[in-house]
C-alpha cells in the first residue's frame, strides 16, 4: 500500500490507463498471487547445468553458430585470440569511417577490464581521435556519449541461435554506449555464448540484482516506408562483434 501511494501522479495515471485497458471494470492494483500460472516458479536447474557443463569444444560450436546466424543480420563478427587483435580491428574501423553528425572523432567505451586492456588511448596517440570511458562519476558522460561516433561495450552473454548480445546495465556500463553512437562494437567472451533465449533467461534469473538489460541483434533498422530497409533509424547503423576466444573456468 505504501509503495502504491508513493508513486507520482504521472505514474498513477499511466497505471490507471493500463488497468482500464486490460480490465475495464477495475482500476485497483491486482495481487500477482491471484495469477500463479503467470508468476509460477521456473526451475532452471537443468538449463543451468547444461550451460555450466559445456566443454570448450561445445563453446567453439556455439561461436560458429553465432557467426553463421549473424550474416543475415548485417552483423560483422570476428573471432579473436587476443585483445591486441581486437584493438587492430577497432583502429581500422575508426580510421576508415566518417562520423555521421560531426567532424570530430570521439569514441566512448565501457569502463570494463576487457576494454581497458585494449589501450586504445595508446593506439590513437597520433590520430585526431579522442577516447572516453564511461566512468559513472563523470558529470560530462552524457555529452561525451552524444559526441561519440563509435561506442564499445562488453556483453554479459551472447545467444548463438539469433546472434544476439545480452547487455545488462551495470555501474560504468550504461546502455547508452550501444544506442547513441552511429557504430556499435560489442565484445563477448566465447565462454559466455549460450545456445538460445531459454538459457539466457535461466542465467539472468540467477542474478537477483539484475533489473535492466537489452538484447541486441544487429544494427538498428526499419522497413516501415515502402518496405525499403534503412539502417540507423533508431540506433547504430553499423555493428561489429568481437568474440574473444577463452577457456571455461
Amino acid at each position: 500500500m505504501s509503495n502504491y501511494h508513493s508513486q507520482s501522479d504521472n505514474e498513477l495515471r499511466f497505471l490507471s490507463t493500463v488497468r482500464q485497458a486490460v480490465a475495464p471494470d477495475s482500476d485497483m492494483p491486482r495481487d500477482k498471487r491471484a495469477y500463479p500460472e503467470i508468476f509460477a516458479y521456473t526451475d532452471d536447474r537443468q538449463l543451468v547445468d547444461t550451460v555450466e557443463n559445456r566443454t570448450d569444444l561445445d563453446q567453439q560450436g556455439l561461436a560458429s553458430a553465432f557467426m553463421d546466424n549473424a550474416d543475415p543480420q548485417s552483423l560483422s563478427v570476428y573471432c579473436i585470440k587476443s585483445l591486441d587483435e581486437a584493438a587492430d580491428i577497432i583502429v581500422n574501423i575508426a580510421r576508415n569511417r566518417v562520423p555521421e553528425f560531426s567532424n570530430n572523432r570521439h569514441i566512448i567505451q565501457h569502463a570494463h577490464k576487457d576494454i581497458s586492456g585494449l589501450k586504445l588511448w595508446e593506439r590513437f596517440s597520433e590520430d585526431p581521435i579522442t577516447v572516453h570511458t564511461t566512468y559513472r562519476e563523470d558529470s560530462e558522460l552524457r555529452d561525451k556519449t552524444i559526441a561519440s561516433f563509435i561506442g564499445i561495450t562488453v556483453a554479459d552473454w551472447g545467444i548463438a541461435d539469433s546472434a544476439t548480445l545480452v547487455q545488462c546495465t551495470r555501474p560504468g556500463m550504461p546502455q547508452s554506449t550501444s544506442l547513441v553512437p552511429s557504430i556499435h562494437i560489442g565484445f563477448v567472451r566465447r565462454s559466455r555464448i549460450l545456445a538460445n533465449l531459454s538459457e539466457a533467461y535461466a542465467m539472468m534469473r540467477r542474478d537477483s540484482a539484475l533489473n535492466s538489460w537489452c538484447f541486441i541483434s544487429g544494427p538498428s533498422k526499419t522497413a516501415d516506408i515502402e518496405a525499403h530497409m534503412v539502417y540507423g533509424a533508431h540506433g547504430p547503423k553499423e555493428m561489429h562483434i568481437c568474440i574473444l576466444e577463452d577457456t571455461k573456468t
Side-chain angles (χ1 to χ4, degrees):
M1 182 68 76
S2 60
N3 287 337
Y4 177 72
H5 287 292
S6 66
Q7 292 170 319
S8 70
D9 290 343
N10 281 338
E11 289 173 319
L12 291 173
R13 281 196 294 271
F14 174 80
L15 291 172
S16 176
T17 300
V18 173
R19 292 188 191 106
Q20 292 286 350
V22 299
D25 298 330
S26 174
D27 190 27
M28 294 300 294
R30 288 179 286 175
D31 191 333
K32 67 180 184 182
R33 289 173 295 185
Y35 305 91
E37 69 281 7
I38 297 176
F39 297 99
Y41 168 74
T42 302
D43 188 349
D44 294 320
R45 287 176 295 182
Q46 185 173 352
L47 286 171
V48 171
D49 285 346
T50 299
V51 172
E52 293 184 338
N53 289 307
R54 283 204 173 104
T55 64
D56 286 334
L57 187 60
D58 294 330
Q59 293 302 132
Q60 289 177 29
L62 290 178
S64 296
F66 190 105
M67 295 185 72
D68 290 342
N69 292 321
D71 188 55
Q73 303 185 62
S74 300
L75 261 172
S76 300
V77 183
Y78 317 86
C79 275
I80 55 173
K81 298 181 182 301
S82 68
L83 292 179
D84 280 344
E85 193 175 340
D88 289 341
I89 292 170
I90 294 171
V91 168
N92 182 59
I93 293 172
R95 286 177 176 166
N96 291 285
R97 299 295 192 279
V98 177
E100 192 174 9
F101 302 110
S102 169
N103 293 323
N104 299 316
R105 292 172 177 265
H106 292 261
I107 294 174
I108 188 87
Q109 61 179 14
H110 270 173
H112 188 281
K113 59 182 175 59
D114 281 351
I115 292 181
S116 61
L118 299 172
K119 299 181 179 178
L120 291 179
W121 59 91
E122 292 182 357
R123 296 295 192 110
F124 292 122
S125 61
E126 303 295 327
D127 293 89
I129 297 176
T130 304
V131 179
H132 307 288
T133 302
T134 56
Y135 297 120
R136 61 186 306 185
E137 62 273 14
D138 186 351
S139 61
E140 299 178 349
L141 179 57
R142 179 178 181 275
D143 291 338
K144 291 175 179 176
T145 301
I146 292 173
S148 296
F149 78 120
I150 294 177
I152 306 173
T153 68
V154 175
D156 283 67
W157 303 98
I159 302 175
D161 74 355
S162 58
T164 296
L165 294 183
V166 183
Q167 185 183 314
C168 302
T169 302
R170 304 184 188 280
M173 300 173 63
Q175 292 182 9
S176 57
T177 310
S178 66
L179 295 172
V180 177
S182 300
I183 301 172
H184 176 207
I185 302 174
F187 273 82
V188 63
R189 288 181 173 267
R190 190 177 65 187
S191 61
R192 305 285 288 182
I193 296 180
L194 306 168
N196 51 45
L197 200 58
S198 296
E199 290 185 358
Y201 275 114
M203 301 307 289
M204 287 193 294
R205 276 193 284 264
R206 303 177 75 201
D207 187 348
S208 59
L210 188 62
N211 57 21
S212 176
W213 62 86
C214 62
F215 298 107
I216 307 171
S217 300
S220 169
K221 50 189 174 294
T222 180
D224 288 350
I225 301 175
E226 296 184 349
H228 179 69
M229 186 65 76
V230 175
Y231 290 94
H234 310 293
K237 63 188 302 183
E238 181 177 336
M239 185 175 176
H240 305 260
I241 295 177
C242 293
I243 299 176
L244 179 61
E245 295 184 11
D246 65 347
T247 55
K248 299 194 75 171
T249 57

